[in-house]
Amino acid sequence: MQLTDRARELIGKYAAALAKTYGIDTGTVTSQFSVSGPKEIKLRDALLERQSFLKEIVVTDVDQISGAIVPVGAAGLHTGRRKKGRFNKVVGVDGREYKLVETDSCAQLLWSLLCTWVNAGSEGEFFQKVNDFANNAFALDMLRIGFNGQFIADNTNDEKYPMGEDVNIGWHQIAKDYKDGIQVITDPVTLGVDGDYPTLDSMVSDLINAKIPAQFREDPRLVVLIGADLAAAEQHRLYSAATTPTEKIAAQLLTSSIAGRPAYVPPFMPGKRLVVTTLTNLHIYTQRGTRQREADHNGDEKAYESKYWRMEGYALEMPELYAAFDEEAVTVLRPTKKASEVDIETEVETKKDDELV
């Protein structure tokens, strides 16, 4: 399908508006341009607005490709006294460092979709759809790689590694590499009525007691990050066992609280992974002054491409505050039927057989 004249006109206006937003004096964006100064903050904020989870963690700019992890300085005790002088809290990260790597994103909009959007609303709505599509794609990939990244390949392969496993080293892999993986449980465990852990509450409680240092266990900022498969299995268990409205409400609230702590089901986190940490322990760094944006048609692909290049990386401020069950270690047991349920099913089958006779 070819691009209609109206679609070409509106996408040209969008490109001009995009250039103006980033302070570029050109009518259209036909080549790569740098995003610097206050415009960098504007682009970062636009990405944060697309995914609420990004606003909960630490997403910040740094000056160097590698360096000391940026502390937010809120963990541990900050109050005391000294016989001589004032008590002070030394905020540091014990020499741990981050490393940024070349990161290139491309959001491709097919001409056929652009033509559909042209006829589906006003000019302003068209601009908003195009802009939101790109920003949402970039923001989601930041999380996708953060939860799934395992290593850094010179040439990434999105077919073999569709979750960005080869794009960068994400938070979970950083924890697995820290002190021989002491913070991540990889020994096989089972979740279910007859398993090692009958409930997610028991699983989370044991994880906290086993892996979170004692001085942080009651920190109100600790949260539970739960994979969608575990959340679904636990909700099924709770609904199946619920006999009162109160119990059904408890099942509905599962994804908001587990073991008395706020719970989240983050996008793209592996389905059977379970993590206890603070949200501000998860960091994403971008090198200041490296952001490059490009938007133009790709005739060979019959698409309009929006691209975003930068130096980017991930870090855990305190690996000790990241405790997890690795997804490969967790097996969810299917609930066994109660004796009464088996009796009822047998009775039903017997009646069916009698009817056939």
Side-chain angles (χ1 to χ4, degrees):
M1 180 177 183
Q2 294 298 314
L3 195 64
T4 64
D5 291 340
R6 179 59 174 165
R8 189 176 297 277
E9 176 190 357
L10 289 188
I11 204 66
K13 289 183 178 180
Y14 166 77
L18 182 66
K20 184 177 180 181
T21 297
Y22 294 115
I24 306 300
D25 294 326
T26 177
T28 59
V29 182
T30 57
S31 60
Q32 188 165 300
F33 60 90
S34 298
V35 181
S36 58
K39 303 301 182 182
E40 281 197 290
I41 299 175
K42 188 171 184 178
L43 174 56
R44 185 183 67 202
D45 290 346
L47 296 179
L48 299 186
E49 287 299 323
R50 298 313 307 161
Q51 288 298 320
S52 59
F53 193 84
L54 280 175
K55 292 190 287 186
E56 301 290 337
I57 66 177
V58 176
V59 180
T60 190
D61 289 1
V62 293
D63 290 318
Q64 305 299 325
I65 292 178
S66 62
I69 292 172
V70 180
V72 297
L77 184 67
H78 288 72
T79 303
R81 67 181 58 84
R82 297 284 185 268
K83 285 186 176 181
K84 295 182 179 180
R86 299 291 301 276
F87 173 85
N88 66 305
K89 172 73 173 184
V90 178
V91 178
V93 289
D94 299 329
R96 290 190 295 276
E97 295 188 345
Y98 67 82
K99 180 181 178 181
L100 311 185
V101 296
E102 176 183 349
T103 307
D104 200 4
S105 301
C106 178
Q108 189 180 74
L109 277 168
L110 296 178
W111 287 351
S112 57
L113 181 57
L114 289 176
C115 292
T116 300
W117 283 357
V118 164
N119 298 317
S122 66
E123 182 175 301
E125 289 173 327
F126 176 83
F127 291 168
Q128 192 66 46
K129 282 185 172 69
V130 174
N131 201 56
D132 287 351
F133 178 86
N135 286 341
N136 197 47
F138 301 154
L140 284 174
D141 278 352
M142 290 169 71
L143 291 175
R144 194 192 319 259
I145 297 164
F147 284 116
N148 296 278
Q150 298 177 12
F151 63 99
I152 300 168
D154 290 334
N155 295 289
T156 61
N157 186 334
D158 59 321
E159 291 186 1
K160 185 176 181 180
Y161 302 109
M163 301 303 288
E165 293 93 336
D166 60 346
V167 176
N168 212 322
I169 300 174
W171 304 301
H172 192 68
Q173 188 62 47
I174 291 172
K176 292 178 75 172
D177 293 338
Y178 175 71
K179 292 186 176 180
D180 297 323
I182 191 173
Q183 293 301 113
V184 181
I185 295 175
T186 56
D187 294 331
V189 297
T190 52
L191 173 65
V193 176
D194 300 317
D196 299 312
Y197 298 101
T199 67
L200 275 179
D201 287 278
S202 62
M203 198 171 179
V204 169
S205 296
D206 192 51
L207 181 62
I208 292 173
N209 291 330
K211 297 298 181 181
I212 297 294
Q215 66 268 31
F216 301 124
R217 289 173 192 166
E218 303 305 321
D219 193 318
R221 293 164 303 165
L222 282 179
V223 301
V224 180
L225 306 182
I226 175 176
D229 292 348
L230 295 184
E234 185 72 351
Q235 278 191 321
H236 176 74
R237 182 191 68 80
L238 291 173
Y239 274 118
S240 298
T243 58
T244 67
T246 301
E247 290 174 336
K248 291 180 179 179
I249 291 174
Q252 293 172 342
L253 294 176
L254 168 69
T255 54
S256 63
S257 178
I258 299 176
R261 291 168 175 81
Y264 296 80
V265 182
F268 303 119
M269 194 171 91
K272 292 190 293 183
R273 182 184 298 170
L274 183 65
V275 176
V276 173
T277 188
T278 62
L279 293 177
T280 54
N281 196 33
L282 308 178
H283 293 204
I284 301 178
Y285 300 149
T286 305
Q287 186 182 18
R288 190 175 289 108
T290 63
R291 291 178 175 89
Q292 303 282 329
R293 287 284 275 113
E294 182 179 359
D296 202 2
H297 289 291
N298 183 337
D300 293 336
E301 298 288 337
K302 294 184 178 179
Y304 182 75
E305 295 179 337
S306 186
K307 300 180 180 180
Y308 174 38
W309 188 97
R310 70 278 188 198
M311 297 295 291
E312 198 160 81
Y314 298 80
L316 289 175
E317 181 178 343
M318 293 185 65
E320 300 89 344
L321 277 180
Y322 184 100
F325 281 97
D326 189 73
E327 59 274 14
E328 297 296 330
V330 179
T331 298
V332 178
L333 301 179
R334 298 183 61 182
T336 57
K337 295 177 181 178
K338 299 177 182 178
S340 58
E341 293 174 338
V342 174
D343 291 341
I344 291 173
E345 289 183 0
T346 302
E347 182 179 346
V348 171
E349 291 299 326
T350 301
K351 288 182 177 179
K352 288 182 179 179
D353 292 340
D354 291 342
E355 291 173 359
L356 290 174
V357 173

